[in-house]
Amino acid sequence: MVTQTQIAKIAGVSRATVERVINNRGDVNDETRKRVLKIIEEMDYRPNRAGKTLAIKQRNLKIGCIIIQADNPFYEELNKGILEAADEFKAYGIDVIIETAVFTAKAQISKINELLEMGISGLLIQPTIEPGLADVLREVEARNIPIVTVNTDLLDYTSSLCYVGNDFYLCGKTAANLMQLLTGSACKTGIVTGFFNARSHADRISGFKDYIADYPGMEIVDIRENQDDEMESYYITRTMLEAHPEIDAIFLVAGGVKGACRAIRQQQEKTGRKIRTISFDDVPTTKELVRDGTILATICQQPVRQGRMALTILFDYLIDGKMPASSRMYTDIQIKLKTNIDA
Amino acid sequence: MVTQTQIAKIAGVSRATVERVINNRGDVNDETRKRVLKIIEEMDYRPNRAGKTLAIKQRNLKIGCIIIQADNPFYEELNKGILEAADEFKAYGIDVIIETAVFTAKAQISKINELLEMGISGLLIQPTIEPGLADVLREVEARNIPIVTVNTDLLDYTSSLCYVGNDFYLCGKTAANLMQLLTGSACKTGIVTGFFNARSHADRISGFKDYIADYPGMEIVDIRENQDDEMESYYITRTMLEAHPEIDAIFLVAGGVKGACRAIRQQQEKTGRKIRTISFDDVPTTKELVRDGTILATICQQPVRQGRMALTILFDYLIDGKMPASSRMYTDIQIKLKTNIDA
DNA sequence: CTGAAAGCGCTTACAG
DNA sequence: CTGAAAGCGCTTACAG
């Protein structure tokens, strides 16, 4: 590995000049620039990241992260990934400031302003879908502060740097594919979703619908909304199953898994008929239901990895100017059964 | 983040002394050691990794990697992970030497000796299961050179640092779980394995058997060996299906997927009866068979990730002295269907 | 337009 | 047993 000093020696200039050429900083005589560039090319110069990271400490970079305050175990996983990565980057001497906010636009905007005053150079956020946030994010970017959004997608805003999360539509298709295999392509499905107007939930449902369009034996009997609330979920699942005794498959699109499963189990016990159930994510309560067989399979989106990846992308961009491979980075779609739910 | 210099100032000693305490190097007066340790504790000192990595360059560390020379696309994936990580660590100024060897003990031992002469401080290897290698690896470790083994497990040798790979037994169980769900717990299975005496293949089969022990409707009709060879695989699958027309499920344990699937398709066309097939890994030919529906699901072990993880563990150990979380690091067991095989 | 010097946090001889 | 100095590869003012 060549260093800037070696290149400087060969080019007959100072290290400072080489540095200027490499980082496009200040003015350099056109001829020397070309000469230096040629040597860089020939010797396949690559900056030493340890040197760079160490030197950049002098700039006192701060990365701001806004994480969700919620006793929702899914968010806890996501936060865990962010916090782990934060720890790692702190070990490189980069300051990572973690702010917690409830999941409302108002709370998030207020935290963003706090972080701006602290002089952050980058922002990581899991944005709420409430209106009002998008404009603030655009303002932040206008100040030349790159943003990475994680897990949640906004309809009216796209980070110019990166979104890290799931491909919800493809998840929905995968759910349908799974259901098809579990039911021999024949089932009458009841769908329990979180919110009709949440994009991620809607996308999963359209993926599901598009897939089963090719399977005439697969039918959607009813779709109901539980507002990600366990009690509501129990109620709507129970009434749905009572209204449609022909339902033999349930697709749980979002939260409220435990409540829905209680209704499903009761119905199974009453009628003796198996209801094939699949869900999303693997929060502890869902895991337990997979272990005991109530849920046959659950589709997971690696929240810890999402958190890590989001912060890593921001870090790499700030240190190296490295752009992510894509402006939409998707984590794997993982199918978990009772045998690999704890792996 | 506190630095050694700050601690030195507070303790009223030089940075060198602080460094001695931190790294247990040389002799330090017991009293000053205690004082320094107390300050380190109180101020929650954590070494700056960039500084450390940069300074360590002076030691001229070399990491040796022995990768497999084979036109096997699975090994290519594994190698890709190793090469990617190697590139990353080279960017930190650590030398990573990649040696290619065919998959025999003789070739690998000869490469190990080459690397030893070059003065490596760490070794990454995907060991062959041929006898003779284990002793050599033990000798390397006796010289205080840490080893990480990747993907392949030896019966008579365990790296004292780490094995990175798959939990083959649990993979086998997951395969059985999947087969159970795909067949409504009723099937007559033909098993096509690679080698009866390869540990990974044998482990997958025992996982499978242990799982179906609880399902009386699931039966194993026959098990045959294809020596990971496509033609042989075609032959033994075809003759197996002809000998047992009742087979309605096939479990492909190892390589030779394409050959086996050809026989399976022919049998399906002849008899009009669906044979539910599952396999391992997602090499391009397998992917294609998942896409076209011949294989319903394939269980993958993230070879790229294995490669990356193995080298990262070695790097972290050499730079930080950091031990891996476990001496056996398993990658996820991923189930892929036609909808998420390309995700 | 260019260079010399200092500094980021750590390790490594070397001197005492 | 302890400290001063040099160095790892880079960036950042500062001087000219």
Side-chain angles (χ1 to χ4, degrees):
Chain A
M1 286 279 153
V2 233
T3 66
Q4 290 184 8
T5 310
Q6 291 172 43
I7 289 176
K9 205 166 283 170
I10 295 171
V13 293
S14 72
R15 294 147 67 202
T17 299
V18 173
E19 195 273 336
R20 279 186 194 97
V21 172
I22 288 169
N23 295 313
N24 277 313
R25 223 191 298 282
D27 296 321
V28 177
N29 176 299
D30 219 52
E31 207 139 298
T32 46
R33 149 165 283 120
K34 273 179 191 148
R35 183 153 37 97
V36 170
L37 277 176
K38 199 172 154 230
I39 298 171
I40 285 174
E41 177 76 19
E42 282 174 5
M43 311 204 65
D44 188 29
Y45 168 79
R46 307 253 219 105
N48 180 308
R49 238 181 158 236
K52 201 157 186 171
T53 308
L54 194 53
I56 276 177
K57 263 221 81 180
Q58 298 169 108
R59 223 184 283 166
N60 224 300
L61 284 187
K62 295 184 190 66
I63 296 181
C65 300
I66 296 180
I67 64 176
I68 305 294
Q69 180 186 40
D71 7 86
N72 179 322
F74 179 81
Y75 294 143
E76 273 171 31
E77 294 279 287
L78 187 64
N79 292 349
K80 191 180 157 203
I82 295 171
L83 294 171
E84 276 178 15
D87 239 46
E88 211 169 278
F89 296 138
K90 278 182 193 159
Y92 283 106
I94 303 298
D95 213 4
V96 184
I97 306 165
I98 309 280
E99 293 282 356
T100 308
V102 294
F103 206 34
T104 64
K106 196 179 154 217
Q108 293 198 330
I109 290 170
S110 133
K111 289 297 180 183
I112 289 174
N113 287 326
E114 272 183 43
L115 288 171
L116 287 177
E117 276 188 22
M118 299 171 84
I120 53 164
S121 321
L123 176 66
L124 171 68
I125 188 169
Q126 182 193 355
T128 75
I129 42 171
E130 284 183 15
L133 193 61
D135 284 335
V136 177
L137 294 180
R138 270 187 285 269
E139 269 172 49
V140 172
E141 279 186 331
R143 290 210 208 182
N144 244 324
I145 297 174
I147 299 179
V148 171
T149 51
V150 63
N151 187 258
T152 310
D153 225 3
L154 293 189
L155 275 171
D156 54 345
Y157 167 79
T158 305
S159 158
S160 51
L161 183 58
C162 194
Y163 161 75
V164 177
N166 223 201
D167 184 336
F168 295 108
Y169 177 76
L170 201 56
C171 284
K173 276 201 152 177
T174 304
N177 191 169
L178 199 55
M179 191 63 97
Q180 177 231 330
L181 294 174
L182 299 183
T183 62
S185 310
C187 57
K188 299 193 189 308
T189 305
I191 297 183
V192 176
T193 188
F195 298 93
F196 286 132
N197 68 0
R199 177 171 175 183
S200 56
H201 305 176
D203 281 357
R204 283 175 177 167
I205 293 174
S206 28
F208 192 90
K209 283 182 172 169
D210 286 355
Y211 184 89
I212 67 168
D214 291 340
Y215 295 86
M218 295 178 78
E219 192 188 325
I220 294 173
V221 174
D222 200 352
I223 306 187
R224 301 198 181 184
E225 178 188 53
N226 67 14
Q227 285 159 60
D228 273 355
D229 177 275
E230 294 293 358
M231 310 244 179
E232 187 64 18
S233 190
Y234 173 67
Y235 175 79
I236 62 129
T237 308
R238 181 169 171 175
T239 49
M240 181 168 77
L241 288 171
E242 282 164 358
H244 301 284
E246 75 275 24
I247 286 177
D248 58 9
I250 292 277
F251 171 31
L252 300 173
V253 178
V257 170
K258 198 180 168 188
C261 282
R262 185 169 172 189
I264 292 168
R265 260 199 314 246
Q266 287 174 347
Q267 179 76 0
Q268 286 186 145
E269 278 159 23
K270 214 170 65 183
T271 65
R273 189 159 160 204
K274 180 74 189 155
I275 298 172
R276 279 77 51 99
T277 305
I278 63 177
S279 64
F280 277 102
D281 297 328
D282 56 350
V283 298
T285 45
T286 300
K287 265 188 172 167
E288 190 47 44
L289 290 158
V290 171
R291 280 189 213 108
D292 77 14
T294 308
I295 296 173
L296 295 182
T298 191
I299 299 177
C300 308
Q301 56 173 313
Q302 303 184 289
V304 177
R305 208 167 140 64
Q306 284 179 15
R308 294 193 73 89
M309 203 192 274
L311 196 49
T312 304
I313 285 170
L314 200 49
F315 182 80
D316 285 352
Y317 177 74
L318 288 172
I319 300 289
D320 265 353
K322 184 182 143 199
M323 289 298 285
S326 157
S327 66
R328 301 188 67 78
M329 296 291 285
Y330 295 125
T331 45
D332 288 336
I333 298 172
Q334 295 201 327
I335 299 169
K336 299 203 179 170
L337 317 177
K338 73 167 180 264
T339 39
N340 66 338
I341 189 90
D342 294 302
Chain B
M1 285 278 150
V2 232
T3 65
Q4 290 183 8
T5 310
Q6 292 172 43
I7 289 176
K9 206 167 285 171
I10 295 173
V13 294
S14 73
R15 293 146 68 201
T17 298
V18 173
E19 195 275 335
R20 278 184 195 101
V21 173
I22 288 169
N23 295 314
N24 278 312
R25 223 190 300 279
D27 297 320
V28 178
N29 175 298
D30 220 53
E31 207 139 299
T32 47
R33 150 166 282 121
K34 273 179 192 150
R35 184 153 39 96
V36 170
L37 277 176
K38 199 172 156 232
I39 297 171
I40 285 174
E41 178 76 18
E42 282 174 4
M43 311 205 64
D44 188 29
Y45 168 79
R46 308 254 218 102
N48 179 308
R49 242 184 154 233
K52 200 158 186 170
T53 308
L54 194 53
I56 276 179
K57 265 221 79 178
Q58 297 168 110
R59 222 185 283 167
N60 224 302
L61 285 187
K62 295 183 190 67
I63 296 181
C65 300
I66 297 180
I67 64 177
I68 306 294
Q69 180 186 41
D71 7 86
N72 178 323
F74 179 82
Y75 294 144
E76 274 170 31
E77 294 279 289
L78 188 64
N79 292 349
K80 192 180 156 204
I82 296 171
L83 294 172
E84 276 177 16
D87 240 45
E88 213 169 275
F89 296 138
K90 278 181 193 159
Y92 283 106
I94 303 297
D95 215 4
V96 184
I97 306 164
I98 308 280
E99 293 282 357
T100 308
V102 294
F103 207 33
T104 64
K106 195 178 156 219
Q108 292 197 331
I109 290 170
S110 133
K111 289 296 179 184
I112 290 174
N113 288 327
E114 272 183 44
L115 288 171
L116 286 177
E117 276 188 22
M118 298 171 85
I120 53 163
S121 320
L123 177 65
L124 171 68
I125 187 168
Q126 181 192 355
T128 75
I129 43 172
E130 284 184 15
L133 192 60
D135 284 336
V136 177
L137 293 181
R138 272 186 284 269
E139 269 172 50
V140 172
E141 279 186 331
R143 291 210 207 180
N144 243 324
I145 297 172
I147 299 179
V148 171
T149 51
V150 62
N151 188 259
T152 310
D153 223 4
L154 293 189
L155 274 171
D156 54 345
Y157 167 79
T158 305
S159 158
S160 51
L161 183 57
C162 194
Y163 161 74
V164 177
N166 224 199
D167 184 336
F168 296 108
Y169 177 77
L170 201 56
C171 285
K173 276 200 152 179
T174 304
N177 190 170
L178 199 53
M179 191 64 98
Q180 176 231 332
L181 294 175
L182 299 182
T183 61
S185 311
C187 57
K188 299 193 188 308
T189 306
I191 297 182
V192 176
T193 188
F195 297 94
F196 286 132
N197 68 1
R199 176 171 174 185
S200 55
H201 305 176
D203 281 356
R204 283 175 176 167
I205 293 173
S206 27
F208 192 90
K209 284 183 173 168
D210 287 354
Y211 184 90
I212 68 169
D214 291 338
Y215 295 86
M218 296 177 77
E219 192 189 323
I220 294 172
V221 174
D222 201 352
I223 306 186
R224 301 197 181 185
E225 178 188 52
N226 67 14
Q227 286 159 61
D228 273 355
D229 177 275
E230 295 293 358
M231 312 243 180
E232 187 63 18
S233 191
Y234 173 67
Y235 175 80
I236 61 128
T237 308
R238 182 170 171 173
T239 49
M240 181 168 75
L241 288 171
E242 282 164 357
H244 302 284
E246 75 276 24
I247 286 177
D248 57 9
I250 291 277
F251 171 31
L252 301 173
V253 178
V257 169
K258 197 180 168 187
C261 282
R262 185 169 173 189
I264 291 168
R265 261 199 314 245
Q266 288 174 346
Q267 180 75 0
Q268 287 187 142
E269 278 159 23
K270 213 170 64 185
T271 64
R273 187 159 160 205
K274 180 75 191 154
I275 298 172
R276 279 76 51 99
T277 304
I278 63 178
S279 64
F280 276 102
D281 297 329
D282 56 350
V283 299
T285 45
T286 300
K287 265 188 173 166
E288 191 46 45
L289 290 158
V290 171
R291 281 191 212 105
D292 77 15
T294 308
I295 295 173
L296 295 183
T298 190
I299 299 176
C300 308
Q301 56 172 313
Q302 304 184 288
V304 177
R305 207 167 140 63
Q306 284 179 15
R308 294 192 73 87
M309 202 192 276
L311 196 49
T312 304
I313 284 170
L314 199 49
F315 182 80
D316 285 352
Y317 177 74
L318 289 171
I319 299 289
D320 266 353
K322 184 183 144 197
M323 290 297 286
S326 158
S327 66
R328 302 189 68 78
M329 296 291 285
Y330 296 125
T331 45
D332 288 336
I333 298 171
Q334 295 200 328
I335 299 169
K336 298 202 181 172
L337 317 177
K338 73 166 178 268
T339 40
N340 67 339
I341 188 91
D342 294 302

PDB file of all heavy atoms in Angstrom, chain A residues 1 19 29 35-36 42 55 85 93 107 110 134 145 160 175 216 221 267 333:
ATOM      1  N   MET A   1       0.837  -1.209   0.000  1.00  0.00           N
ATOM      2  CA  MET A   1       0.000   0.000   0.000  1.00  0.00           C
ATOM      3  C   MET A   1       0.871   1.259   0.000  1.00  0.00           C
ATOM      4  O   MET A   1       1.679   1.470   0.909  1.00  0.00           O
ATOM      5  CB  MET A   1      -0.882   0.003   1.258  1.00  0.00           C
ATOM      6  CG  MET A   1      -2.021  -0.984   1.176  1.00  0.00           C
ATOM      7  SD  MET A   1      -3.396  -0.318   0.206  1.00  0.00           S
ATOM      8  CE  MET A   1      -4.125  -1.844  -0.396  1.00  0.00           C
ATOM      9  N   GLU A  19      -2.016  15.784  -0.906  1.00  0.00           N
ATOM     10  CA  GLU A  19      -3.299  15.766  -0.192  1.00  0.00           C
ATOM     11  C   GLU A  19      -4.310  16.654  -0.911  1.00  0.00           C
ATOM     12  O   GLU A  19      -5.475  16.280  -1.069  1.00  0.00           O
ATOM     13  CB  GLU A  19      -3.055  16.231   1.247  1.00  0.00           C
ATOM     14  CG  GLU A  19      -4.193  15.934   2.201  1.00  0.00           C
ATOM     15  CD  GLU A  19      -5.232  17.028   2.195  1.00  0.00           C
ATOM     16  OE1 GLU A  19      -4.917  18.176   1.838  1.00  0.00           O
ATOM     17  OE2 GLU A  19      -6.389  16.726   2.538  1.00  0.00           O
ATOM     18  N   ASN A  29      -1.456  23.757  -9.210  1.00  0.00           N
ATOM     19  CA  ASN A  29      -1.022  23.945 -10.594  1.00  0.00           C
ATOM     20  C   ASN A  29      -1.461  22.759 -11.436  1.00  0.00           C
ATOM     21  O   ASN A  29      -1.303  21.600 -11.039  1.00  0.00           O
ATOM     22  CB  ASN A  29       0.503  24.074 -10.603  1.00  0.00           C
ATOM     23  CG  ASN A  29       1.047  24.164 -12.020  1.00  0.00           C
ATOM     24  OD1 ASN A  29       0.865  23.238 -12.819  1.00  0.00           O
ATOM     25  ND2 ASN A  29       1.697  25.261 -12.327  1.00  0.00           N
ATOM     26  N   ARG A  35       0.377  15.321 -12.956  1.00  0.00           N
ATOM     27  CA  ARG A  35       1.500  14.429 -12.668  1.00  0.00           C
ATOM     28  C   ARG A  35       1.174  13.566 -11.434  1.00  0.00           C
ATOM     29  O   ARG A  35       1.317  12.349 -11.446  1.00  0.00           O
ATOM     30  CB  ARG A  35       2.756  15.272 -12.416  1.00  0.00           C
ATOM     31  CG  ARG A  35       4.010  14.474 -12.182  1.00  0.00           C
ATOM     32  CD  ARG A  35       5.242  15.280 -12.590  1.00  0.00           C
ATOM     33  NE  ARG A  35       5.099  16.698 -12.260  1.00  0.00           N
ATOM     34  CZ  ARG A  35       5.591  17.282 -11.160  1.00  0.00           C
ATOM     35  NH1 ARG A  35       6.290  16.563 -10.297  1.00  0.00           N
ATOM     36  NH2 ARG A  35       5.422  18.554 -10.937  1.00  0.00           N
ATOM     37  N   VAL A  36       0.695  14.238 -10.399  1.00  0.00           N
ATOM     38  CA  VAL A  36       0.369  13.520  -9.167  1.00  0.00           C
ATOM     39  C   VAL A  36      -0.741  12.497  -9.412  1.00  0.00           C
ATOM     40  O   VAL A  36      -0.651  11.338  -8.989  1.00  0.00           O
ATOM     41  CB  VAL A  36      -0.050  14.519  -8.061  1.00  0.00           C
ATOM     42  CG1 VAL A  36      -0.614  13.780  -6.861  1.00  0.00           C
ATOM     43  CG2 VAL A  36       1.144  15.366  -7.645  1.00  0.00           C
ATOM     44  N   GLU A  42      -1.226   5.000 -11.215  1.00  0.00           N
ATOM     45  CA  GLU A  42      -0.279   3.918 -11.493  1.00  0.00           C
ATOM     46  C   GLU A  42       0.005   3.067 -10.270  1.00  0.00           C
ATOM     47  O   GLU A  42       0.137   1.852 -10.347  1.00  0.00           O
ATOM     48  CB  GLU A  42       1.047   4.511 -12.001  1.00  0.00           C
ATOM     49  CG  GLU A  42       1.010   4.935 -13.453  1.00  0.00           C
ATOM     50  CD  GLU A  42       2.308   5.645 -13.844  1.00  0.00           C
ATOM     51  OE1 GLU A  42       3.245   5.707 -13.009  1.00  0.00           O
ATOM     52  OE2 GLU A  42       2.369   6.136 -14.975  1.00  0.00           O
ATOM     53  N   ALA A  55      -6.991  11.451  11.842  1.00  0.00           N
ATOM     54  CA  ALA A  55      -6.806  12.872  11.540  1.00  0.00           C
ATOM     55  C   ALA A  55      -8.125  13.627  11.604  1.00  0.00           C
ATOM     56  O   ALA A  55      -8.185  14.772  12.049  1.00  0.00           O
ATOM     57  CB  ALA A  55      -6.178  13.027  10.158  1.00  0.00           C
ATOM     58  N   ALA A  85     -23.539  -0.161  16.885  1.00  0.00           N
ATOM     59  CA  ALA A  85     -22.685   0.484  15.886  1.00  0.00           C
ATOM     60  C   ALA A  85     -22.126   1.789  16.446  1.00  0.00           C
ATOM     61  O   ALA A  85     -20.966   2.133  16.208  1.00  0.00           O
ATOM     62  CB  ALA A  85     -23.474   0.739  14.601  1.00  0.00           C
ATOM     63  N   GLY A  93     -13.268   7.222  17.770  1.00  0.00           N
ATOM     64  CA  GLY A  93     -13.128   8.617  18.147  1.00  0.00           C
ATOM     65  C   GLY A  93     -14.134   9.558  17.514  1.00  0.00           C
ATOM     66  O   GLY A  93     -13.965  10.767  17.554  1.00  0.00           O
ATOM     67  N   ALA A 107     -42.219  15.620  18.419  1.00  0.00           N
ATOM     68  CA  ALA A 107     -41.087  15.209  19.256  1.00  0.00           C
ATOM     69  C   ALA A 107     -39.825  15.079  18.410  1.00  0.00           C
ATOM     70  O   ALA A 107     -38.739  15.520  18.808  1.00  0.00           O
ATOM     71  CB  ALA A 107     -41.397  13.889  19.946  1.00  0.00           C
ATOM     72  N   SER A 110     -38.399  18.495  17.349  1.00  0.00           N
ATOM     73  CA  SER A 110     -37.741  19.203  18.444  1.00  0.00           C
ATOM     74  C   SER A 110     -36.345  18.623  18.700  1.00  0.00           C
ATOM     75  O   SER A 110     -35.382  19.349  18.938  1.00  0.00           O
ATOM     76  CB  SER A 110     -38.644  19.155  19.683  1.00  0.00           C
ATOM     77  OG  SER A 110     -37.915  18.791  20.812  1.00  0.00           O
ATOM     78  N   ALA A 134     -41.216  15.794   6.778  1.00  0.00           N
ATOM     79  CA  ALA A 134     -40.497  15.795   5.505  1.00  0.00           C
ATOM     80  C   ALA A 134     -39.834  17.136   5.227  1.00  0.00           C
ATOM     81  O   ALA A 134     -38.662  17.195   4.844  1.00  0.00           O
ATOM     82  CB  ALA A 134     -41.449  15.420   4.369  1.00  0.00           C
ATOM     83  N   ILE A 145     -26.177  18.560   5.587  1.00  0.00           N
ATOM     84  CA  ILE A 145     -26.051  17.496   6.578  1.00  0.00           C
ATOM     85  C   ILE A 145     -26.738  16.254   6.015  1.00  0.00           C
ATOM     86  O   ILE A 145     -27.957  16.260   5.808  1.00  0.00           O
ATOM     87  CB  ILE A 145     -26.708  17.921   7.908  1.00  0.00           C
ATOM     88  CG1 ILE A 145     -25.967  19.139   8.453  1.00  0.00           C
ATOM     89  CG2 ILE A 145     -26.718  16.774   8.897  1.00  0.00           C
ATOM     90  CD1 ILE A 145     -26.602  19.749   9.681  1.00  0.00           C
ATOM     91  N   SER A 160     -31.487  11.764   0.352  1.00  0.00           N
ATOM     92  CA  SER A 160     -30.614  11.786  -0.817  1.00  0.00           C
ATOM     93  C   SER A 160     -29.441  10.822  -0.613  1.00  0.00           C
ATOM     94  O   SER A 160     -28.804  10.412  -1.560  1.00  0.00           O
ATOM     95  CB  SER A 160     -30.112  13.207  -1.071  1.00  0.00           C
ATOM     96  OG  SER A 160     -29.567  13.729   0.118  1.00  0.00           O
ATOM     97  N   ALA A 175     -44.686 -13.682   1.737  1.00  0.00           N
ATOM     98  CA  ALA A 175     -45.711 -14.209   2.639  1.00  0.00           C
ATOM     99  C   ALA A 175     -46.712 -15.046   1.854  1.00  0.00           C
ATOM    100  O   ALA A 175     -47.111 -16.139   2.278  1.00  0.00           O
ATOM    101  CB  ALA A 175     -46.413 -13.065   3.358  1.00  0.00           C
ATOM    102  N   PRO A 216     -55.654 -19.500  -8.408  1.00  0.00           N
ATOM    103  CA  PRO A 216     -57.104 -19.377  -8.249  1.00  0.00           C
ATOM    104  C   PRO A 216     -57.628 -20.035  -6.966  1.00  0.00           C
ATOM    105  O   PRO A 216     -58.657 -19.609  -6.442  1.00  0.00           O
ATOM    106  CB  PRO A 216     -57.669 -20.072  -9.494  1.00  0.00           C
ATOM    107  CG  PRO A 216     -56.521 -20.748 -10.152  1.00  0.00           C
ATOM    108  CD  PRO A 216     -55.275 -20.128  -9.680  1.00  0.00           C
ATOM    109  N   VAL A 221     -60.663 -13.654   2.039  1.00  0.00           N
ATOM    110  CA  VAL A 221     -62.054 -13.602   2.477  1.00  0.00           C
ATOM    111  C   VAL A 221     -62.385 -12.248   3.110  1.00  0.00           C
ATOM    112  O   VAL A 221     -63.460 -11.694   2.902  1.00  0.00           O
ATOM    113  CB  VAL A 221     -62.321 -14.735   3.497  1.00  0.00           C
ATOM    114  CG1 VAL A 221     -63.708 -14.612   4.083  1.00  0.00           C
ATOM    115  CG2 VAL A 221     -62.119 -16.087   2.838  1.00  0.00           C
ATOM    116  N   GLN A 267     -60.630 -20.398  18.199  1.00  0.00           N
ATOM    117  CA  GLN A 267     -61.434 -20.864  17.075  1.00  0.00           C
ATOM    118  C   GLN A 267     -61.029 -22.289  16.680  1.00  0.00           C
ATOM    119  O   GLN A 267     -61.887 -23.123  16.389  1.00  0.00           O
ATOM    120  CB  GLN A 267     -61.233 -19.909  15.883  1.00  0.00           C
ATOM    121  CG  GLN A 267     -61.998 -20.279  14.627  1.00  0.00           C
ATOM    122  CD  GLN A 267     -63.483 -19.930  14.737  1.00  0.00           C
ATOM    123  OE1 GLN A 267     -63.931 -19.415  15.758  1.00  0.00           O
ATOM    124  NE2 GLN A 267     -64.242 -20.226  13.701  1.00  0.00           N
ATOM    125  N   ILE A 333     -34.870 -10.902   3.567  1.00  0.00           N
ATOM    126  CA  ILE A 333     -36.193 -11.362   3.976  1.00  0.00           C
ATOM    127  C   ILE A 333     -36.001 -12.755   4.565  1.00  0.00           C
ATOM    128  O   ILE A 333     -35.707 -13.702   3.843  1.00  0.00           O
ATOM    129  CB  ILE A 333     -37.138 -11.414   2.770  1.00  0.00           C
ATOM    130  CG1 ILE A 333     -37.313 -10.003   2.192  1.00  0.00           C
ATOM    131  CG2 ILE A 333     -38.478 -12.023   3.160  1.00  0.00           C
ATOM    132  CD1 ILE A 333     -38.065  -9.955   0.879  1.00  0.00           C
TER     133      ILE A 333
END
